[in-house]
Amino acid sequence: MAPIEIPDGFELILANVVFSCIVLQAQAFLSMGYRKPAGIKYPQLYASKEEEEKSPAAFKFNCAQRVHQNSLETFPQATMLIFIAATNYPRIAAVLGFVWNLGRIGYTYGYLKSPQKRGTYGGFLSSWSLKGLFLITTYMAFGWVKTEMSLWDL
């Protein structure tokens, strides 16, 4: 087995993961802050439709909760793609990861300040950075397969 070599610039990836954790924690705190004024007790995850219609605070809580949940849904794939891309392209992966985090911040702001637009401010950034990471890792995967196998091996 070959030794693992950590490429130059990999520290940017670690900084990126820490930044992601800070963004996720900030979203969690926002959600917790909106929970009490909305009167939503644990373990209830969201305010019901009836609660939301009666109380603007419950609507705001649902928005904050949805922002956090959406980020939690995309964090594992973003992190995995960042780490894979970083094995060959650490600086590009770091930039795309940073853009993903900025997109999450923008998404949070947009979703809470302008619920009608539902986070379009940052959703665009984070989704396109994920697409970029996906393209890079796909390119890398096909390159690895190509070097390990030829059509004649089938």
Side-chain angles (χ1 to χ4, degrees):
M1 183 193 285
I4 296 174
E5 292 184 32
I6 297 176
D8 289 338
F10 203 79
E11 64 278 358
L12 298 171
I13 301 305
L14 300 178
N16 212 304
V17 172
V18 170
F19 185 32
S20 295
C21 291
I22 292 168
V23 170
L24 289 171
Q25 197 61 49
Q27 289 174 336
F29 286 138
L30 281 170
S31 182
M32 286 186 277
Y34 286 114
R35 180 179 286 277
K36 190 172 184 179
I40 309 301
K41 306 286 185 214
Y42 287 104
Q44 188 175 341
L45 191 58
Y46 288 98
S48 69
K49 191 71 175 165
E50 295 79 29
E51 290 170 317
E52 192 178 87
E53 288 171 354
K54 290 179 190 172
S55 167
F59 176 75
K60 204 70 153 167
F61 167 71
N62 277 356
C63 288
Q65 190 74 337
R66 183 65 201 130
V67 161
H68 183 55
Q69 184 67 35
N70 184 264
S71 294
L72 289 172
E73 291 165 1
T74 57
F75 175 72
Q77 76 181 44
T79 304
M80 178 191 66
L81 292 172
I82 290 166
F83 272 108
I84 293 170
T87 60
N88 284 11
Y89 309 103
R91 286 177 179 79
I92 294 171
V95 167
L96 289 171
F98 185 71
V99 170
W100 182 81
N101 279 304
L102 290 179
R104 294 286 87 199
I105 293 168
Y107 182 76
T108 302
Y109 177 80
Y111 215 95
L112 292 175
K113 298 297 179 196
S114 180
Q116 297 79 14
K117 294 190 179 188
R118 296 286 189 206
T120 54
Y121 295 111
F124 178 82
L125 279 178
S126 55
S127 67
W128 278 100
S129 65
L130 277 182
K131 287 175 178 72
L133 287 162
F134 179 76
L135 288 173
I136 290 169
T137 55
T138 302
Y139 171 78
M140 289 169 56
F142 280 116
W144 291 332
V145 168
K146 185 179 169 188
T147 58
E148 293 297 321
M149 183 176 91
S150 73
L151 289 176
W152 306 113
D153 292 336
L154 298 174

PDB file of all heavy atoms in Angstrom, residues 11 18 89 128:
ATOM      1  N   GLU A  11      -4.346  22.416   4.256  1.00  0.00           N
ATOM      2  CA  GLU A  11      -4.775  23.117   5.468  1.00  0.00           C
ATOM      3  C   GLU A  11      -5.983  24.016   5.182  1.00  0.00           C
ATOM      4  O   GLU A  11      -6.796  24.287   6.067  1.00  0.00           O
ATOM      5  CB  GLU A  11      -3.622  23.926   6.081  1.00  0.00           C
ATOM      6  CG  GLU A  11      -3.098  25.050   5.222  1.00  0.00           C
ATOM      7  CD  GLU A  11      -2.104  24.632   4.135  1.00  0.00           C
ATOM      8  OE1 GLU A  11      -1.762  23.451   4.037  1.00  0.00           O
ATOM      9  OE2 GLU A  11      -1.684  25.528   3.387  1.00  0.00           O
ATOM     10  N   VAL A  18     -13.896  23.585   9.335  1.00  0.00           N
ATOM     11  CA  VAL A  18     -14.154  24.342  10.568  1.00  0.00           C
ATOM     12  C   VAL A  18     -15.156  25.464  10.290  1.00  0.00           C
ATOM     13  O   VAL A  18     -16.098  25.676  11.063  1.00  0.00           O
ATOM     14  CB  VAL A  18     -12.839  24.894  11.170  1.00  0.00           C
ATOM     15  CG1 VAL A  18     -13.115  25.875  12.294  1.00  0.00           C
ATOM     16  CG2 VAL A  18     -11.957  23.753  11.649  1.00  0.00           C
ATOM     17  N   TYR A  89      -6.746  18.668  -6.238  1.00  0.00           N
ATOM     18  CA  TYR A  89      -6.910  20.111  -6.451  1.00  0.00           C
ATOM     19  C   TYR A  89      -7.300  20.811  -5.151  1.00  0.00           C
ATOM     20  O   TYR A  89      -8.432  21.293  -5.012  1.00  0.00           O
ATOM     21  CB  TYR A  89      -7.980  20.364  -7.518  1.00  0.00           C
ATOM     22  CG  TYR A  89      -7.766  19.591  -8.789  1.00  0.00           C
ATOM     23  CD1 TYR A  89      -8.524  18.449  -9.069  1.00  0.00           C
ATOM     24  CD2 TYR A  89      -6.807  19.983  -9.708  1.00  0.00           C
ATOM     25  CE1 TYR A  89      -8.333  17.728 -10.231  1.00  0.00           C
ATOM     26  CE2 TYR A  89      -6.600  19.268 -10.876  1.00  0.00           C
ATOM     27  CZ  TYR A  89      -7.367  18.140 -11.134  1.00  0.00           C
ATOM     28  OH  TYR A  89      -7.167  17.423 -12.289  1.00  0.00           O
ATOM     29  N   TRP A 128     -24.275  25.816  -6.988  1.00  0.00           N
ATOM     30  CA  TRP A 128     -23.301  25.804  -8.084  1.00  0.00           C
ATOM     31  C   TRP A 128     -21.916  25.390  -7.614  1.00  0.00           C
ATOM     32  O   TRP A 128     -21.162  24.760  -8.362  1.00  0.00           O
ATOM     33  CB  TRP A 128     -23.277  27.145  -8.820  1.00  0.00           C
ATOM     34  CG  TRP A 128     -24.394  27.193  -9.810  1.00  0.00           C
ATOM     35  CD1 TRP A 128     -25.601  27.808  -9.652  1.00  0.00           C
ATOM     36  CD2 TRP A 128     -24.453  26.528 -11.065  1.00  0.00           C
ATOM     37  NE1 TRP A 128     -26.401  27.580 -10.746  1.00  0.00           N
ATOM     38  CE2 TRP A 128     -25.714  26.798 -11.633  1.00  0.00           C
ATOM     39  CE3 TRP A 128     -23.557  25.734 -11.782  1.00  0.00           C
ATOM     40  CZ2 TRP A 128     -26.108  26.303 -12.876  1.00  0.00           C
ATOM     41  CZ3 TRP A 128     -23.956  25.236 -13.022  1.00  0.00           C
ATOM     42  CH2 TRP A 128     -25.210  25.521 -13.555  1.00  0.00           C
TER      43      TRP A 128
END
